[in-house]
Every structure is written in structure tokens, then in C-alpha cells.
Amino acid sequence: ARGKYTEQLSKLEDTTQRLNSIGKELENIDDNIENLDANIQEKVKLFNKHFADISQKLYGETFALSASFEKQKNTNNKFYKLNVDSLNARAGTGKKKGEILAFDLAYIKFADEQNIKCLHFVLHDQMETVDNNQIITFLQEVSNANCQLVTPVLRDKMPAELKTGAYEILSLSQEVKLFKI
């Protein structure tokens, strides 16, 4: 009987030791998550300097990215949820386009500042929905971000200030086509 109790005691001690080890691993994981969260929040703060600056120049409003660590419903899974504050649901198509382009330009500036490799061009369509004043400001910001904006614009929808061709790389027409058949 003594041998049986000694064996059970040994198993109990092993189990207690494993539980303590697992508890320490969980503490390390929690610490890493806290460090990761602090790192993400710092990166979001640095990104927002650029995003707020560009949006202020464009619309006189400050757009901001926010990140929150959330638990998924009905599971133990956790994830980061990113939100852009000021993506106004009632904003017109042009302003939504502007907000997206401001985000893209802010990311390029942020990536350069953080030495993150990224493409230095953005592709956007339907820029004719964006107000002419914002298009001109965008072109200045594109230049400041050391990138190219690739977008089709109908000549009759183009702001008068841009009809000089200074920003034009390629002009297409019925005669001059990108793809020839």
C-alpha cells in the first residue's frame, strides 16, 4: 500500500510541476501580448502623424487609425481590429476615395520612416469623383511621399491647373491606345 501512495504522490508532484511550468508559459505569453500591443499602439501612433497631417491638408479633418485587441465571440481567439476613425458613412464617393488615398499615402510615408520596403505607387480609379481642390492637394502629397499616383482621369473632368501636362505621364485617346488589337 505504501508503494501505491508513493507512486500517487510522485504523479501528483509531477502534475503540479507541469501545471506550474504551463502557468509560467502562459505568463510569458501574456507578457509578450502586452509587449506586442504596446509595439502596435506605438506604430499606429507613428502612422497617425502622417495620416492626420494629410487628412488635415485635404479636408480640414483629422483621420486616425486605431487598433484594439479583441476576443472573438464564442471562442478564445484574440485578434487586432483596425478602424479608421472619420470614414464618414454619409460621405460621398469622392470623399471616401480621398480618405482611402490619404491612408495609402500615409502608409508610404510611414513605411519609409520605419525602413519598411513598400511600393512607391498607388492605383486609384474614378478620381473624377474627388473635388478638384483635393486632387491638386493629393498631387502635392504624392510628390511629398516620393511616389506615383496612377489614375485615369477624363480630360473634361480634369482640373484646369492640371491640363498643362506637368503631371501627365501617359495620355490615351481613340488613336493612342494602351493595348492594341
Side-chain angles (χ1 to χ4, degrees):
R2 179 174 182 186
K4 182 180 174 183
Y5 290 125
T6 304
E7 183 181 335
Q8 286 178 343
L9 181 61
S10 175
K11 286 182 181 179
L12 180 62
E13 287 172 350
D14 285 347
T15 302
T16 302
Q17 190 176 22
R18 276 189 279 159
L19 285 173
N20 287 338
S21 175
I22 291 170
K24 287 179 183 177
E25 286 179 38
L26 288 173
E27 284 177 25
N28 286 338
I29 290 170
D30 286 344
D31 289 344
N32 288 336
I33 288 172
E34 286 180 29
N35 290 337
L36 175 64
D37 184 52
N39 189 16
I40 287 174
Q41 295 303 331
E42 180 61 28
K43 299 292 185 193
V44 166
K45 183 179 173 183
L46 294 171
F47 170 83
N48 278 333
K49 285 193 311 187
H50 300 292
F51 197 29
D53 179 58
I54 293 169
S55 63
Q56 188 65 37
K57 290 175 185 173
L58 288 169
Y59 296 104
E61 296 178 34
T62 301
F63 304 156
L65 178 69
S66 62
S68 58
F69 194 61
E70 298 185 8
K71 184 178 175 189
Q72 191 174 8
K73 292 180 182 177
N74 303 323
T75 71
N76 284 332
N77 297 338
K78 294 181 180 179
F79 61 96
Y80 268 95
K81 183 176 181 180
L82 299 174
N83 290 310
V84 174
D85 301 325
S86 191
L87 270 177
N88 186 345
R90 289 184 238 149
T93 304
K95 186 167 183 186
K96 287 179 185 176
K97 286 275 184 196
E99 291 172 340
I100 294 166
L101 184 54
F103 183 94
D104 291 344
L105 294 176
Y107 179 76
I108 290 171
K109 287 182 171 188
F110 167 79
D112 284 348
E113 181 180 84
Q114 297 296 308
N115 295 316
I116 299 170
K117 290 183 180 180
C118 73
L119 299 174
H120 283 80
F121 69 89
V122 289
L123 302 169
H124 281 271
D125 194 11
Q126 300 176 340
M127 289 301 287
E128 61 273 1
T129 62
V130 177
D131 184 80
N132 286 350
N133 292 332
Q134 274 75 36
I135 290 175
I136 293 165
T137 305
F138 276 129
L139 291 176
Q140 293 165 348
E141 289 303 310
V142 164
S143 179
N144 291 340
N146 189 29
C147 71
Q148 290 182 336
L149 170 63
V150 180
T151 185
V153 179
L154 298 173
R155 192 167 303 282
D156 62 328
K157 301 285 184 178
M158 191 181 306
E161 296 89 332
L162 301 182
K163 290 185 181 178
T164 65
Y167 295 101
E168 183 180 303
I169 301 298
L170 177 64
S171 181
L172 303 176
S173 67
Q174 291 297 338
E175 295 77 32
V176 179
K177 297 182 180 186
L178 186 58
F179 301 106
K180 297 177 184 177
I181 299 176

